[in-house]
Each structure stands twice: as structure tokens, then as C-alpha cells.
Amino acid sequence: MAAAALEGKDGSNVVILHQLKRGKLTPCISPFALKLETYLRIAGIAYQNDFDEPMGPKGKTPWITLNGKKVGDSQLCLELLSETFHKDLSHHLSIEEKAVARAFQIMAEDHLYWVMLVWRWIYNGGSSLPLIQTDLHFAVRYLRPIVVSRVKSQVSAQGMGRHSQSEVMEMGLKDLRAISNFLGTKSFLMGDQPIEVDCAMFGMLAQILWNSPGCPYEPLFTAGELINLKGYCERMKRTFWPDWNQCLIPSLVR
Ligand SMILES: N[C@@H](CCC(=O)N[C@@H](CS)C(=O)NCC(=O)O)C(=O)O
């Protein structure tokens, strides 16, 4: 649906979240979209999804339209929403706690993300695509090589793609161990209440736990040293996504 058609009559404070179409295993197949949609839910901000125009003004997904303004980047969107709707979930934190939360967020989104990108599209060759989003033969056949070649150049430019597979997987494991150790027995990353970093962390960890069939980290979540991260993902899902299963697209291939 075109963004303009989704806006309220007066165009005021209607949030349109543009993202890739729903997945089979997680509602959002992008960690950044899952982060933003989870934030909107935690903050109680009304929004509408648009799955027809997923790529935004910066050529990435997700993005939002707010009061006619197109805003790209999940974090910039979140900060604009927080300011516009007065929904600062971290207002109770000290500046030291905010600094820690930011460091964990950057680790998840700007380091662990690249590990998972390399794993999904290079080591796994995008072969999970029919399992996570599309059964369409032509999409799997034609889309996959396009994405694989694009990801190859991205991960090489970023640097993660230049390491050996064992080095990359070890780096990801160290990130996950750090997150797991810091979370410990807490309900959410910074305590009893979910804040912005939980949206980003859930966005990323849910992709590993539920949306990366065959990923070597997944067994560590379900029965290994990262089991508290599984409990964390389930808590986030249960609390903020009671409609999770209804959001999934039905699958012909499982
Ligand atoms: N920093 C951005 C990252 C967004 C991002 O990298 N999205 C990926 C999908 S997970 C994308 O659009 N990739 C397409 C591309 O890079 O061409 C954010 O937080 O929104």
C-alpha cells in the first residue's frame, strides 16, 4: 500500500512501519524491523504496517513515515518516535547504565549482526530462504543469488567477510556469551523493565533462535550455555507479541 494512502485524514501522528513481508518463523525477518515493531508495541504507539514498500529513503529496511516525513534507520526512527510520543523507556536509568545499554546494542547490531549475515548468506548460501519467507520457486531461484552477491560485497567492505569461518563463528559466540553473562537471571537486559536495548537485542536474538534453521548457535540457546537467552526471547515474545503465531505467513515448506 502506498504510504500516502495509509496516512490519517489530517496526516497527524500516524506511524506507518514499512518493512519486508511477514516471515514463516518470525513475523519480521529483519532484526531491525523486529526491533522497531517491538518498540512500538512496548511504547504503546499505534502503527500500521506497510509491506509493499519495504526499502526506505536510505535504501534499507525498515523505515517509517510519520507526519508525511520519511525516516530511514531503525534507531533514528525509534529516537524520533520516542521524542514525538514522549516514550523514553530508559528515563529511569543512570548515565552509566545508559552507556552500558548502548554498548550492548551496538555489539548486537553492528557486530553480531554481521556474523549472522555472513552465516546466513555466505556459509549457508541463503538456503534457509524457502524456510523463513518464501515458497515461491522463482523468488528462491532468482532472489537468492542477487542477495548472496550483494551480501558478499557488503561483508567484505565491512570486514567480517574477510575472516575465516571459525574466526567469525567464534566472534559471534563471544558476543552471545557476553550478552548471556550480562543478562544473568534478570528479566530484561537492564533490569525488571524492558527498554530500547531490549527491542534491539530481541530483534537480533529472535533471528538466531527462531529464524536461522541450522545455525550452530541455536542448540546453545535451547539446551546449552545460552539457555537464559532463550528464556529472554520467550519472555519478550509472550509479553509483547501475543499474536506472534497469527502474524506468521503459512508455509508450504517447513
Ligand atoms: N542501521 C540500519 C540497518 C538496516 C539494515 O541493514 N537492513 C537490512 C535488512 S536486515 C537491509 O535493508 N539490507 C538491504 C541492503 O543493505 O541492501 C537500521 O537500524 O535500520
Side-chain angles (χ1 to χ4, degrees):
M1 202 182 301
L6 286 169
E7 280 182 14
K9 275 200 179 109
D10 59 358
S12 61
N13 285 352
V14 176
V15 180
I16 300 151
L17 171 58
H18 308 268
Q19 59 170 312
L20 294 166
K21 71 175 174 135
R22 293 299 196 198
K24 294 175 184 172
L25 305 174
T26 54
C28 313
I29 64 165
S30 155
F32 305 102
L34 188 53
K35 162 194 176 179
L36 200 46
E37 192 162 352
T38 302
Y39 171 78
L40 286 160
R41 286 166 173 242
I42 296 180
I45 300 170
Y47 65 97
Q48 297 168 30
N49 271 306
D50 163 48
F51 302 109
D52 293 336
E53 224 181 314
M55 305 314 276
K58 295 178 181 171
K60 297 253 185 194
T61 191
W63 60 289
I64 61 166
T65 310
L66 176 63
N67 295 332
K69 194 172 158 197
K70 297 177 176 190
V71 186
D73 190 277
S74 65
Q75 188 59 28
L76 295 181
C77 293
L78 192 155
E79 287 169 16
L80 176 67
L81 291 166
S82 168
E83 200 182 309
T84 308
F85 294 93
H86 310 289
K87 299 282 183 180
D88 175 6
L89 307 179
S90 306
H91 61 87
H92 57 293
L93 297 187
S94 68
I95 50 169
E96 286 86 1
E97 287 170 328
K98 285 181 187 172
V100 171
R102 181 168 174 85
F104 270 100
Q105 180 175 337
I106 301 300
M107 181 168 71
E109 296 193 320
D110 288 289
H111 191 258
L112 184 56
Y113 168 74
W114 290 97
V115 170
M116 290 310 296
L117 199 64
V118 174
W119 179 83
R120 178 177 284 174
W121 294 103
I122 314 293
Y123 306 151
N124 206 28
S127 60
S128 51
L129 191 59
L131 297 170
I132 66 180
Q133 199 192 41
T134 180
D135 290 327
L136 296 178
H137 189 64
F138 78 89
V140 174
R141 192 163 168 185
Y142 296 109
L143 194 65
R144 191 161 66 188
I146 294 170
V147 179
V148 167
S149 113
R150 192 171 164 77
V151 168
K152 271 189 182 153
S153 65
Q154 287 180 340
V155 299
S156 173
Q158 189 272 345
M160 189 62 78
R162 296 169 190 237
H163 303 302
S164 71
Q165 183 164 345
S166 63
E167 286 168 339
V168 170
M169 297 317 286
E170 185 63 21
M171 286 180 198
L173 184 57
K174 284 178 177 165
D175 289 351
L176 289 166
R177 277 196 187 124
I179 299 162
S180 169
N181 289 337
F182 184 72
L183 176 67
T185 56
K186 299 195 293 292
S187 292
F188 301 103
L189 219 60
M190 300 307 296
D192 294 340
Q193 297 176 39
I195 64 156
E196 292 81 356
V197 67
D198 293 294
C199 303
M201 200 54 80
F202 175 62
M204 192 62 56
L205 297 179
Q207 299 298 324
I208 301 175
L209 176 60
W210 292 310
N211 208 29
S212 303
C215 176
Y217 300 138
E218 193 259 0
L220 302 176
F221 277 64
T222 49
E225 59 177 303
L226 306 175
I227 196 144
N228 67 336
L229 298 183
K230 180 177 180 226
Y232 170 80
C233 287
E234 283 173 344
R235 193 172 310 119
M236 291 289 291
K237 177 176 155 184
R238 198 171 49 244
T239 315
F240 302 110
W241 285 87
D243 56 340
W244 183 274
N245 288 341
Q246 291 92 280
C247 290
L248 303 179
I249 54 162
S251 177
L252 304 173
V253 181
R254 270 272 155 91

